[in-house]
């Protein structure tokens, strides 16, 4: 089934992924592509609407990202957001200049002309709380455009050409800091573009199964790198639905797992899937390769390399194995490489970037365009047990990115002990499913302490707990003080080598969720 497509053109905003998420929440299918997408490609894609994202550039600066002017003549509605709004104004005959007063953060917008367009559900004269992020402003509207909203520091906070169905907002409706942002996007998707909202996880599952069957063929066998986390578990379930017993799952114990994880994963998959599950103990192999390595990027690359080696070795023992499945998600891709636009690279992911040429396997990545919350919905659609779907995210490199400094067996055991206590206490407090992630980090920092009558000089544990919807942004959780006190007391009393516990109160941005 062909779905109506909203084409999002990316000008480098870190919010572009949020635009996609918000549109999909309205049951509308969308894709993100670079602003430089040729007009012929756009026409071939037959979008039902186009969204121009924000971006960090000034649209009048030399070398600023542009879009083919033909995008406004495709005959479909266009929504410009922030930079996309400024670029639209400039390209269609208006003027953009540096603002006298820049706007970053919360602002109030007054609606000058409600009742139509993206502001169709908002009355004239109403005030909206919005999120601004701009140093430039539209100074003069292009011919034929009407002024629809303003703020104290931005005369043209929203404007439109109703006849051409071109609508622009200087603020960001896609972020949660614009409380009525979903309503504004709905005004564009349904009020202006007249879309049907015909995309769902059920339809995605059916189409993904068909794509997997077409890619693998009637005889091919798929190896799935299984971690036990939500992503690889849902990917395995989807592939199993598509090709049945031609799926072999490989669970690699790399010595970087949480306490009891190997046994838990084996039990869940043997009981629920009844697939060919192979558990490989590669602890010595991984820890040997990581010995003495402290740089986070080097850790990630070594781990990715060793995973590939293990899968490659195992593939040679499986007849007709020609495909390797991974639970790669859209945020992994966005944070690793600028494959779909000029958004900045944040960090590499061990499961992004393809396979080495020597490895004669083709990647199958059925979740590559999904966000984490969408993967959970897909898992529910596929009938996976709640205890699996509700698992908090666990990084592909495992405890390697939570054990800062040398990855020795004793330090990893220390971290495992502390991490188990954090999870136990979070579950006991009834907060496990309300929190995106809660975990312990072992710091290579020693401090003096007193335990009993003895002086200690041991390492520190940092506790991290965040809330998020998709991992792209996150806020730290204000855990109850008595809960923090219990975790701290238990860790210091029960885990050898730790005499200090701290709590991380950094949001993303500016930090990342994981410490490395």
């Amino acid at each position: 089934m062909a779905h109506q497509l909203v084409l999002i053109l990316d000008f480098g905003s870190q919010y572009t992924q949020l635009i996609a998420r918000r549109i999909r929440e309205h049951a509308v299918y969308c894709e993100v592509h670079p602003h430089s997408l040729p007009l012929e490609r756009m026409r071939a894609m037959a979008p039902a609407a186009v969204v121009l994202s924000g971006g960090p550039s000034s649209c009048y600066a030399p070398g600023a990202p542009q879009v083919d002017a033909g995008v406004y003549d495709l005959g479909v509605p266009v929504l410009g957001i922030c930079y996309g709004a400024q670029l639209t104004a400039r390209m269609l005959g208006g003027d953009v200049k540096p603002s006298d007063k820049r706007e970053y953060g919360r602002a109030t917008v007054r609606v000058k002309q409600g009742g139509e367009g993206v502001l169709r559900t908002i009355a004239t004269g109403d005030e909206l709380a919005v999120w601004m992020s701009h140093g430039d402003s539209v100074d003069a509207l292009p011919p034929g455009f009407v002024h629809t909203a303003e703020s104290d520091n931005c005369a043209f906070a929203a404007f439109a050409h109703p006849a051409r169905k071109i609508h622009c907002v200087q603020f960001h409706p896609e972020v949660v800091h614009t409380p009525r942002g979903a309503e504004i996007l709905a005004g564009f998707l349904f009020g202006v573009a007249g879309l049907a909202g015909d995309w769902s996880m059920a339809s995605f599952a059916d189409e993904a199964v068909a794509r997997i069957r077409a890619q693998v063929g009637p005889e091919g066998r798929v190896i799935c790198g299984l971690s036990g986390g939500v992503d690889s578990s849902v990917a395995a379930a989807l592939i199993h639905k598509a090709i049945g017993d031609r799926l072999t799952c490989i669970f690699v114990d790399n010595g970087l797992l949480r306490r009891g994880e190997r046994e838990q994963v084996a039990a869940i998959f043997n009981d629920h899937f009844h697939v060919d599950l192979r558990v490989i103990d590669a602890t010595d192999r991984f820890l040997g390769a990581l010995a003495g390595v402290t740089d986070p990027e080097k850790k990630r690359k070594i781990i990715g390399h060793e995973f590939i080696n293990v899968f490659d070795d195992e593939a040679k023992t499986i007849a007709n194995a020609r495909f390797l499945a991974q639970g790669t998600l859209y945020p992994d891709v966005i944070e690793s490489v600028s494959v779909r636009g000029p958004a900045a690279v944040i960090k590499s992911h061990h499961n992004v970037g393809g396979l080495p040429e020597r490895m004669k396997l083709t990647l199958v990545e059925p979740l590559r365009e999904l966000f984490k919350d969408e993967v959970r919905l897909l898992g529910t659609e596929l009938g996976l047990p709640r205890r699996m779907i509700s698992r908090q995210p666990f990084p592909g490199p495992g405890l390697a990115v939570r054990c800062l400094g040398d990855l020795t067996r004793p330090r990893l055991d220390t971290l495992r002990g502390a991490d188990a206590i954090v999870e136990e206490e979070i579950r006991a407090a009834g907060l496990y499913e309300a929190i995106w992630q809660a975990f312990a980090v072992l710091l290579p920092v020693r401090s003096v302490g007193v335990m009993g009558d003895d002086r200690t000089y041991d390492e520190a544990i940092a506790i991290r707990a965040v809330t998020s919807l998709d991992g792209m942004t996150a806020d730290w959780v204000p855990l109850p003080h008595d809960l923090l006190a219990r975790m701290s007391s238990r860790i210091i009393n029960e885990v050898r080598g730790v005499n200090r516990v701290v709590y991380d109160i950094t949001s993303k941005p500016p930090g990342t969720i994981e410490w490395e």
Side-chain angles (χ1 to χ4, degrees):
M1 174 184 175
H3 298 286
Q4 291 176 309
L5 166 68
V6 173
L7 174 61
I8 302 171
L9 297 180
D10 178 21
F11 290 90
S13 172
Q14 294 297 334
Y15 294 144
T16 300
Q17 305 81 24
L18 294 180
I19 299 173
R21 282 202 65 257
R22 298 296 178 254
I23 291 176
R24 291 186 189 181
E25 286 171 0
H26 287 295
V28 173
Y29 181 67
C30 60
E31 293 182 4
V32 178
H33 289 270
H35 63 87
S36 55
L37 188 71
L39 187 63
E40 295 75 18
R41 284 279 310 282
M42 295 187 207
R43 289 200 182 100
M45 296 170 72
V50 175
V51 176
L52 308 179
S53 84
S57 303
S58 294
C59 64
Y60 51 78
Q66 303 291 312
V67 68
D68 193 305
V71 71
Y72 301 105
D73 297 316
L74 290 174
V76 301
V78 175
L79 173 63
I81 297 175
C82 195
Y83 181 89
Q86 296 169 8
L87 184 64
T88 297
R90 184 175 173 83
M91 293 188 71
L92 296 183
D95 195 18
V96 179
K97 294 182 179 179
S99 300
D100 292 332
K101 294 183 179 179
R102 299 180 297 175
E103 285 186 306
Y104 295 102
R106 290 177 174 84
T108 299
V109 163
R110 291 176 294 278
V111 177
K112 291 178 63 65
Q113 184 174 326
E116 67 172 316
V118 298
L119 305 176
R120 63 192 304 110
T121 60
I122 302 169
T124 299
D126 278 3
E127 292 189 343
L128 294 172
V130 301
W131 186 260
M132 291 281 197
S133 181
H134 66 102
D136 299 332
S137 293
V138 174
D139 191 57
L141 292 181
F145 278 74
V146 294
H147 185 190
T148 57
E150 64 184 2
S151 74
D152 289 342
N153 297 322
C154 182
F156 300 106
F159 49 96
H161 194 305
R164 296 181 67 181
K165 295 187 176 182
I166 300 174
H167 295 260
C168 297
V169 293
Q170 181 60 68
F171 54 88
H172 288 273
E174 70 273 23
V175 303
V176 296
H177 305 296
T178 301
R180 298 182 72 175
E183 184 181 340
I184 292 168
L185 286 174
F188 175 72
L189 298 172
F190 305 118
V192 176
L195 302 183
D198 60 358
W199 190 73
S200 67
M201 273 303 122
S203 63
F204 176 86
D206 291 340
E207 292 158 14
V209 164
R211 286 195 296 269
I212 292 166
R213 288 172 178 164
Q215 181 182 6
V216 175
E219 297 180 355
R221 176 170 285 276
V222 177
I223 298 173
C224 181
L226 189 64
S227 69
V230 176
D231 307 337
S232 63
S233 297
V234 172
L238 190 61
I239 295 167
H240 187 255
K241 181 176 181 180
I243 64 173
D245 61 8
R246 289 187 287 130
L247 169 68
T248 295
C249 291
I250 298 177
F251 180 82
V252 179
D253 184 348
N254 57 6
L256 303 170
L257 303 176
R258 290 168 290 192
R259 181 181 290 176
E261 190 151 24
R262 173 175 170 174
E263 294 75 17
Q264 293 170 16
V265 170
I268 289 174
F269 271 82
N270 285 328
D271 292 345
H272 188 80
F273 284 113
H274 308 293
V275 300
D276 178 15
L277 174 62
R278 306 187 182 189
V279 179
I280 300 172
D281 189 342
T283 300
D284 292 342
R285 179 174 192 161
F286 276 81
L287 296 188
L290 290 164
V293 178
T294 59
D295 179 79
E297 282 296 289
K298 289 182 179 178
K299 286 182 183 179
R300 289 176 176 272
K301 287 180 169 57
I302 289 170
I303 291 167
H305 179 75
E306 290 303 322
F307 266 123
I308 292 298
N309 286 339
V310 171
F311 291 136
D312 196 20
D313 291 344
E314 195 64 21
K316 295 172 184 175
T317 70
I318 302 172
N320 215 26
R322 298 201 298 268
F323 299 89
L324 174 65
Q326 292 184 157
T328 308
L329 301 190
Y330 192 34
D332 297 341
V333 176
I334 294 299
E335 287 192 339
S336 294
V337 288
S338 302
V339 295
R340 296 209 165 185
V345 173
I346 297 172
K347 61 185 177 184
S348 67
H349 286 262
H350 79 285
N351 59 342
V352 177
L355 300 174
E357 291 184 5
R358 63 175 175 77
M359 195 172 186
K360 306 305 180 184
L361 295 175
T362 300
L363 275 178
V364 177
E365 297 176 300
L367 312 180
R368 190 179 176 90
E369 299 299 324
L370 296 185
F371 293 94
K372 177 73 75 172
D373 57 323
E374 294 175 322
V375 174
R376 294 189 196 279
L377 292 174
L378 178 58
T380 301
E381 183 69 32
L382 294 171
L384 292 177
R386 183 171 182 82
R387 67 184 182 276
M388 183 182 292
I389 295 171
S390 64
R391 289 192 66 176
Q392 293 182 358
F394 186 59
L399 297 181
V401 294
R402 296 178 180 175
C403 184
L404 280 57
D406 287 336
L407 298 174
T408 64
R409 291 175 193 260
R411 296 190 76 237
L412 287 165
D413 287 340
T414 296
L415 177 56
R416 265 186 278 270
D419 189 73
I421 290 171
V422 170
E423 181 174 335
E424 288 169 10
E425 291 295 337
I426 291 291
R427 286 187 181 277
L431 296 174
Y432 185 81
E433 292 191 21
I435 294 175
W436 176 263
Q437 278 175 280
F439 55 89
V441 180
L442 180 61
L443 308 181
V445 176
R446 292 186 179 275
S447 64
V448 174
V450 178
M451 299 177 72
D453 294 323
D454 293 330
R455 175 187 183 275
T456 61
Y457 190 55
D458 290 329
E459 291 185 304
I461 283 287
I463 298 173
R464 177 85 158 133
V466 299
T467 56
S468 180
L469 289 175
D470 49 37
M472 298 303 299
T473 60
D475 289 324
W476 64 276
V477 179
L479 291 177
H481 290 182
D482 59 338
L483 174 57
L484 288 170
R486 283 196 304 275
M487 289 192 289
S488 175
S489 178
R490 284 193 61 193
I491 289 170
I492 290 174
N493 284 311
E494 299 175 29
V495 180
R496 290 188 178 277
V498 176
N499 68 354
R500 192 175 298 271
V501 175
V502 298
Y503 188 54
D504 183 353
I505 59 170
T506 311
S507 296
K508 175 184 179 180
T512 54
I513 294 177
E514 301 292 343
W515 277 48
E516 289 190 341

